Amino acid sequence: MILKPIGIIHSPFKEKKDSPHQGRYGVETSEIEVFEEYSEALDGIDRYNHLIILYWLDKAERNLLKVIPVGKSKKRGVFSTRAPSRPNPIAFSLVDLLEVNENKLTVKGLEALDSSFLVDIKPYWKDIDSIE
Amino acid sequence: MILKPIGIIHSPFKEKKDSPHQGRYGVETSEIEVFEEYSEALDGIDRYNHLIILYWLDKAERNLLKVIPVGKSKKRGVFSTRAPSRPNPIAFSLVDLLEVNENKLTVKGLEALDSSFLVDIKPYWKDIDSIE
């Protein structure tokens, strides 16, 4: 199962220490640049205010099965945490779409490090993607 | 960017025509079998009622950039749809966790075809993963 980089994320977070613990709480905006060869796949994206972004955590440790979650003292399995360290380091982020300019999307709520590779963009549908 | 299959999904949906259009509306349960070598990463999962599941859509067409969404008549870019056809065919599903039995999770709300490969499991956190 091989993923293709379909774009790159330009963000104000150059290092892990700069990025918010969870992007949803941040006010900074990031720019998602979709590579030209995939820009046609953005058609219709402007009808959504919220998007699901999948991106690659290239600095993650893939062989850790347990980690100590932020703010905790005891190790836990990585599937019960949102730690970047996991066998397949794909991050999931729900973002606000602020602007679309050709193949560039300005978004808020992303905590991706600068230059992270984009994996997928999906529209957020409240009725299937949230639970009260 | 290479993904490792970390488990396999056993579901009642043998073919695309059997599966619900969106799993959240279904009542069927599926079993997620995490491969033994990753079972330690499940530690602590039983504290959650809802999980985010990422899985691989192995039958998806990866070179389509536009599709006609279900129930529509006009083509649209795949990033503005939830169609399985997309450059990186990773499905995202929010499911109810019903039971944990060692390395097997019984869940509701998944629309994965039987034998789909599991890519990741994350806890669902309402405050960051949903928007009113």
Side-chain angles (χ1 to χ4, degrees), chain B residues 28-88:
Chain B
E28 294 89 347
T29 60
S30 296
E31 187 188 75
I32 298 175
E33 178 187 346
V34 173
F35 294 143
E36 295 280 357
E37 62 190 293
Y38 299 107
S39 59
E40 205 187 331
L42 287 171
D43 176 59
I45 202 90
D46 54 351
R47 69 180 68 206
Y48 297 102
N49 296 318
H50 307 297
L51 300 175
I52 289 170
I53 304 296
L54 301 182
Y55 61 95
W56 189 253
L57 298 154
D58 74 310
K59 294 194 171 48
E61 169 56 67
R62 301 184 67 169
N63 294 317
L64 282 180
L65 294 181
K66 287 192 169 187
V67 294
I68 299 175
V70 175
K72 309 284 177 184
S73 57
K74 222 181 126 206
K75 277 195 177 180
R76 220 198 272 172
V78 292
F79 298 149
S80 74
T81 79
R82 295 293 280 261
S85 303
R86 47 212 314 120
N88 290 311

Side-chain angles (χ1 to χ4, degrees), chain A:
Chain A
M1 303 189 290
I2 296 177
L3 296 176
K4 315 173 188 180
I6 59 162
I8 192 162
I9 297 170
H10 304 288
S11 93
F13 315 121
K14 307 297 174 199
E15 296 179 57
K16 183 141 178 37
K17 67 172 176 52
D18 302 330
S19 82
H21 175 43
Q22 290 297 342
R24 286 283 331 139
Y25 303 130
V27 294
E28 294 89 348
T29 60
S30 295
E31 187 187 77
I32 298 175
E33 178 188 346
V34 173
F35 295 143
E36 295 280 359
E37 62 192 291
Y38 300 106
S39 58
E40 202 188 332
L42 287 171
D43 176 59
I45 201 89
D46 54 351
R47 71 180 68 204
Y48 297 102
N49 295 317
H50 307 298
L51 299 175
I52 289 170
I53 304 297
L54 301 183
Y55 62 95
W56 189 253
L57 298 154
D58 73 311
K59 293 192 173 49
E61 168 56 67
R62 301 184 68 170
N63 294 316
L64 283 180
L65 294 182
K66 286 191 169 192
V67 295
I68 299 175
V70 175
K72 309 284 178 185
S73 58
K74 222 181 127 210
K75 277 194 179 181
R76 218 197 276 171
V78 292
F79 298 149
S80 75
T81 79
R82 296 293 282 259
S85 302
R86 48 210 316 119
N88 291 310
I90 297 175
F92 157 88
S93 241
L94 177 58
V95 306
D96 301 332
L97 176 59
L98 304 180
E99 199 184 331
V100 181
N101 189 354
E102 294 184 353
N103 63 327
K104 298 187 178 72
L105 311 181
T106 305
V107 302
K108 191 165 82 68
L110 198 60
E111 61 179 338
L113 290 183
D114 189 44
S115 301
S116 297
F117 279 131
L118 178 67
V119 169
D120 200 10
I121 299 176
K122 301 179 194 289
Y124 172 75
W125 290 350
K126 187 174 182 293
D127 56 344
I128 60 165
D129 299 328
S130 72
I131 294 175
E132 285 309 306

